[in-house]
């Protein structure tokens, strides 16, 4: 018997609610090693607790992921899945080949990083407030809502004020300035990306993350 997830707007009225106790479907799929569609099916079957936002996006309880893994994959349940304990990175890139290249590099570096991959700025805006990544890596030229519009929206969210931003783009600096420029904390890196530099930058963030958390 399929069930409709409870309202996230109702869940957030609870006295013990914390946005850090919830994640999006993409993160849950990565943790469980399943497809997003399979995770959605588990939610509808009631095997994983989740809520829906007014916009129809699911928010999944992290404790429910642990419970599911302990029951179905005991070897995975020993892993530390809480995103607070690892460097949280969000990569927003519409080009699939570029995402695959990033993914290969991250896997090769084997750093304590939890990386989420999104193909559109709109998808990122839907989840970034609840994910609260430590680092955002974003392209600028994307269809629909582009990277500049995304960063302009993010700039207004004070909860994301401490987030590091790397913009990797082939757009000329004059064209970026004509669109209003980038947030002050954003670092512009021209394509093609120097992955040796990026590895060093992320390694430094990992060390700072271990020191201050």
């Amino acid at each position: 018997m399929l069930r409709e997830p409870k309202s996230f707007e109702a869940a957030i009225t609870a006295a013990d609610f914390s946005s850090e106790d919830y994640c999006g479907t993409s993160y849950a799929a990565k943790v469980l090693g399943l497809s997003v569609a399979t995770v959605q099916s588990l939610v509808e079957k009631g095997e994983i607790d989740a809520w829906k936002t007014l916009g129809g996006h699911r928010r999944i309880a992290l404790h429910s992921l642990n419970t599911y893994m302990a029951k179905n994959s005991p070897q995975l349940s020993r892993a530390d899945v809480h995103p607070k304990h690892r460097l949280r990175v969000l990569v927003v890139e519409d080009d699939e080949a570029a995402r695959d290249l990033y993914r290969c590099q991250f896997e090769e570096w084997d750093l304590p990083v939890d990386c989420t991959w999104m193909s559109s700025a709109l998808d990122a805006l839907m989840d970034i407030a609840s994910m609260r990544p430590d680092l955002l890596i974003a392209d600028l030229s994307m269809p629909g809502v582009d990277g500049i519009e995304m960063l302009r929206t993010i700039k207004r969210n004070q909860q994301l004020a401490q987030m590091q931003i790397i913009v990797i783009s082939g757009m000329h600096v004059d064209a970026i300035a004509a669109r209003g420029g980038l947030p002050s904390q954003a670092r512009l890196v021209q394509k093609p990306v120097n992955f040796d530099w990026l590895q060093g930058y992320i390694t430094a963030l990992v060390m700072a993350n271990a020191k201050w958390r």
Side-chain angles (χ1 to χ4, degrees), residues 74-124:
Q75 71 278 12
L76 290 178
S77 67
R78 293 192 293 268
D80 184 3
V81 301
H82 201 296
K84 285 175 61 178
H85 302 157
R86 295 166 63 85
L87 189 75
R88 301 184 297 267
V89 179
L90 172 61
V91 177
V92 185
E93 169 60 68
D94 66 306
D95 184 81
E96 184 177 0
R99 290 198 306 274
D100 287 342
L101 182 57
Y102 279 118
R103 187 177 289 108
C104 289
Q105 292 292 329
F106 274 77
E107 291 175 354
E108 182 177 319
W109 296 337
D110 195 26
L111 292 168
V113 169
D114 171 56
C115 195
T116 300
W117 315 88
M118 292 190 176
S119 59
S120 79
L122 183 58
D123 286 343

Side-chain angles (χ1 to χ4, degrees), residues 191-206:
K191 289 184 176 181
V193 60
N194 182 329
F195 282 105
D196 288 336
W197 175 88
L198 185 59
Q199 180 183 11
Y201 186 94
I202 293 177
T203 300
L205 286 185
V206 166

Side-chain angles (χ1 to χ4, degrees), residues 56-172:
H57 296 271
R58 289 175 173 82
R59 294 293 177 266
I60 295 173
L62 288 169
H63 73 81
S64 184
L65 294 187
N66 284 318
T67 300
Y68 179 85
M69 287 192 295
K71 177 181 178 181
N72 297 280
S73 302
Q75 71 278 12
L76 290 178
S77 67
R78 293 192 293 268
D80 184 3
V81 301
H82 201 296
K84 285 175 61 178
H85 302 157
R86 295 166 63 85
L87 189 75
R88 301 184 297 267
V89 179
L90 172 61
V91 177
V92 185
E93 169 60 68
D94 66 306
D95 184 81
E96 184 177 0
R99 290 198 306 274
D100 287 342
L101 182 57
Y102 279 118
R103 187 177 289 108
C104 289
Q105 292 292 329
F106 274 77
E107 291 175 354
E108 182 177 319
W109 296 337
D110 195 26
L111 292 168
V113 169
D114 171 56
C115 195
T116 300
W117 315 88
M118 292 190 176
S119 59
S120 79
L122 183 58
D123 286 343
L125 286 173
M126 292 293 183
D127 274 344
I128 196 168
S130 59
M131 292 172 59
R132 296 180 68 174
D134 301 297
L135 171 64
L136 168 65
I137 300 175
D139 191 8
L140 292 182
S141 300
M142 290 182 279
V145 177
D146 67 9
I148 292 179
E149 293 175 286
M150 176 184 68
L151 293 176
R152 188 177 295 128
T153 301
I154 289 172
K155 185 179 179 180
R156 297 195 293 265
N157 190 330
Q158 291 303 309
Q159 290 184 324
L160 301 173
Q162 300 303 313
M163 178 179 68
Q164 301 294 309
I165 301 173
I166 297 178
V167 173
I168 299 178
S169 176
M171 187 179 295
H172 194 276

Side-chain angles (χ1 to χ4, degrees), residues 8 11 17-24 51 59-62 83 130:
F8 188 68
F17 175 81
S18 170
S19 62
E20 292 182 339
D21 294 332
Y22 299 86
C23 65
W51 289 261
R59 294 293 177 266
I60 295 173
L62 288 169
S130 59

